[in-house]
Amino acid sequence: MGISRDSKHKRRLTGGKQPFYRKKRKFELGRQSANTKLGPKLVRPVRVRGGNIKTRALRLETGNFSWASEASTRKSRILSVVYNASNNELVRTNTLVKGCIVQVDATPFRAWCLQHYGTELGKKKATGAADAAATDAAAAPAAEAKKSRSLLKKIAHRARGHEVDKGILEEFATGRLYAKVTSRPGQSGRCDGYILEGKELDFYKRQLMKKKKAGK
């Protein structure tokens, strides 16, 4: 028996059984789920109805993630799957599906903020002389890149009154950002999404805490 997407085997709204008046049809077929895992990119083309091609991702490790409040999108590395409302098994096996919550590398977004606003997010304050020296050494390459007065003026104008969500700042300190996958890896061969912020970020953080307390 193949996988079928028909509704003829289901009962009517009233509860009565529907008669089988025909065999299965080609246009009702279904296929095995992709179960996209974290790993080096492995994508396969699948020929579908009408001669069209779907892209089946078997393994992915990067994706384009949008930071909506800053209108910025960057390609970032996916680090792990942390939450899935439908099934905890998909979290344990690091399976990428639409709607799952993942952690992505914050470095591309930190670099963009430094270039666009001239501020380095998630930077720890230097506590001692050794830390201050190390910070200065790390900042030296950035200082070497000369900027014109007009560019400095533009960066200062952008940074004036600019604020980043407190929850996002805490994540930048850890180097990992929570993001939600909005593409379908098994259909499009991509794992794209957006960075969580505001009330949505707070909601998923609460869900993760509940899960941690329950020991799941």
Side-chain angles (χ1 to χ4, degrees), residues 125-190:
K125 293 180 180 179
T127 52
D131 291 342
T135 306
D136 293 339
E144 285 174 9
K146 291 185 178 179
K147 295 175 182 175
S148 64
R149 279 185 294 177
S150 62
L151 180 58
L152 290 170
K153 187 177 177 182
K154 188 186 288 185
I155 290 172
H157 178 71
R158 286 176 190 153
R160 195 179 303 131
H162 173 254
E163 289 183 3
V164 178
D165 184 48
K166 188 180 176 183
I168 294 273
L169 283 174
E170 290 173 1
E171 290 181 45
F172 269 110
T174 64
R176 292 167 170 242
L177 299 174
Y178 287 114
K180 187 171 187 175
V181 176
T182 53
S183 67
R184 301 172 70 192
Q187 304 288 319
S188 64
R190 301 169 66 92

Side-chain angles (χ1 to χ4, degrees), residues 1 9-10 12 26 42 47 56 72 82 86 88 103 122-123 133 141 154 157 163 173 179 181-182 184 190 211:
M1 295 293 286
H9 65 282
K10 292 192 172 184
R12 294 192 178 95
K26 174 79 172 177
L42 179 63
R47 193 241 185 227
R56 183 87 76 233
S72 172
V82 293
S86 63
N88 284 330
Q103 279 190 323
K123 188 177 178 182
K154 188 186 288 185
H157 178 71
E163 289 183 3
V181 176
T182 53
R184 301 172 70 192
R190 301 169 66 92
K211 185 179 161 187

